[in-house]
Amino acid sequence: MTLNADLHCHSTVSDGTLAPQDVAARARAHGVQLWALTDHDEMAGQRAARDAALALGMDYLAGCEISVSFAGETVHIVGLGVDIDDAALAAGLARTRGGREQRAREMSDALAAVGIDGAYEGALRHVGNPDLISRTHFARFLVESGVCADVPEVFRRFLTEGRPGYVPHRWATLADAVRWIVQAGGMAVVAHPGRYKFTPNEEYALFSEFKAHGGRGVEVVTGSHTIPEYARYADTAREFDLYASRGSDFHSPDEGHTELGSLPPLPAGLTPVWEPLAHRVLRA
Ligand code: AMP
Ligand code: MN
Ligand code: MN
Ligand code: MN
């Protein structure tokens, strides 16, 4: 039996709907043995997550998911095994989330222009951490108010590029995000590469530059990938000599997200990220 590791998920500290300790309990209930909470651009949930994990008998890796702008797209870089007291990483995350408030107000104005009023206040009602208002919170408001049937529909109709509520944003650079993670003792991992709308050349540039900056991992098995994408990004891991990660990207029990700890194991022949990170794992 291979290790049931789930190294990507969210709590109310970013855009999940469960508190860190409740995500921990759910992960444990679904058989997770090694867990990381990876909230967007924020580590305020790390102590609660770690303490709950260890009390439940789960090993823990500290984590975060950093928003990066690369080649006109938003790319997510997961940091695993980071030191949660690292000052430079904390400052980098604070800077990365800094523009969210202004962006949220602009999103609200854009939605008002197509007849949807009160979106900023509505989204705020769903926010667990006022520093981290995200598109997901707007999506929950639009579902609650009956504009759309579910969260994916809101993204399709309103919150993605070319749609009326989309506001482009400049996140961290790839170089900065990787450097913050590596200097905090962690491993940088490209999150869900199958989700980005890159040409083959752009994707090649992403992985080449990521490696050149010191990145060492790629998510192969994630809730955002199809089964063919598991094989495709297993090839990428081999081609770029990257360690492989596995994570559900769980956000909520109610929105059809992949369940914690439920994905298939990593394809054979890849080296999992938790091997080189063994010295960063907090043991239950
Ligand atoms: P933000 O960081 O504010 O741009 O929000 C990004 C978050 O929106 C992601 O982390 C996902 O949780 C969510 N998201 C992005 N695209 C979609 C989609 N097509 N369907 C559902 N959720 C999405
Ligand atoms: Mn999210
Ligand atoms: Mn992501
Ligand atoms: Mn995520």
Side-chain angles (χ1 to χ4, degrees), residues 8-10 38 40 65 76 192 249 251:
H8 186 151
C9 60
H10 298 273
T38 55
H40 297 286
E65 181 178 20
H76 287 168
H192 43 60
D249 208 357
H251 283 66

Side-chain angles (χ1 to χ4, degrees), residues 3-264:
L3 184 75
N4 189 343
D6 193 325
L7 304 180
H8 186 151
C9 60
H10 298 273
S11 75
T12 46
V13 166
S14 62
D15 60 349
T17 63
L18 302 180
Q21 57 274 20
D22 297 330
V23 186
R26 196 175 176 98
R28 186 75 191 88
H30 285 90
V32 174
Q33 296 163 295
L34 172 64
W35 178 54
L37 178 70
T38 55
D39 277 308
H40 297 286
D41 307 325
E42 173 69 271
M43 294 197 297
Q46 290 300 308
R47 278 181 182 72
R50 173 198 66 196
D51 293 351
L54 300 182
L56 288 160
M58 267 187 314
D59 291 345
Y60 190 72
L61 273 168
C64 58
E65 181 178 20
I66 306 182
S67 311
V68 160
S69 296
F70 182 87
E73 264 272 4
T74 298
V75 166
H76 287 168
I77 302 295
V78 165
L80 295 174
V82 290
D83 172 2
I84 63 175
D85 295 316
D86 186 87
L89 174 58
L93 295 177
R95 182 146 57 88
T96 304
R97 62 182 180 260
R100 281 183 180 269
E101 165 75 21
Q102 176 64 27
R103 169 191 184 233
R105 292 188 183 278
E106 290 172 24
M107 286 173 63
S108 188
D109 292 346
L111 289 167
V114 294
I116 298 165
D117 290 322
Y120 177 77
E121 294 73 18
L124 262 192
R125 287 204 304 277
H126 292 271
V127 163
N129 169 4
D131 277 359
L132 218 116
I133 184 162
S134 86
R135 283 185 289 163
T136 313
H137 302 113
F138 280 85
R140 291 186 183 132
F141 165 67
L142 266 68
V143 172
E144 173 194 63
S145 54
V147 176
C148 293
D150 56 28
V151 166
E153 183 189 334
V154 183
F155 276 88
R156 274 198 309 278
R157 286 177 52 197
F158 293 102
L159 299 184
T160 39
E161 201 167 351
R163 295 294 166 173
Y166 181 75
V167 174
H169 195 73
R170 179 71 67 88
W171 302 106
T173 66
L174 182 64
D176 281 347
V178 172
R179 184 169 42 84
W180 297 333
I181 292 165
V182 171
Q183 291 187 352
M187 184 191 295
V189 177
V190 176
H192 43 60
R195 264 187 31 193
Y196 311 129
K197 312 251 172 304
F198 284 141
T199 63
N201 280 342
E202 287 167 337
E203 189 180 78
Y204 188 88
L206 170 66
F207 283 105
S208 304
E209 293 185 30
F210 172 74
K211 271 217 82 167
H213 293 310
R216 292 202 295 159
V218 58
E219 285 185 350
V220 172
V221 174
T222 136
S224 296
H225 283 176
T226 61
I227 290 169
E229 285 170 336
Y230 298 161
R232 166 145 183 234
Y233 290 102
D235 286 344
T236 302
R238 289 185 200 98
E239 179 184 356
F240 288 90
D241 194 22
L242 294 168
Y243 298 108
S245 194
R246 172 181 188 260
S248 58
D249 208 357
F250 176 87
H251 283 66
S252 165
D254 307 318
E255 293 170 358
H257 291 286
T258 302
E259 187 54 79
L260 289 152
S262 68
L263 288 169

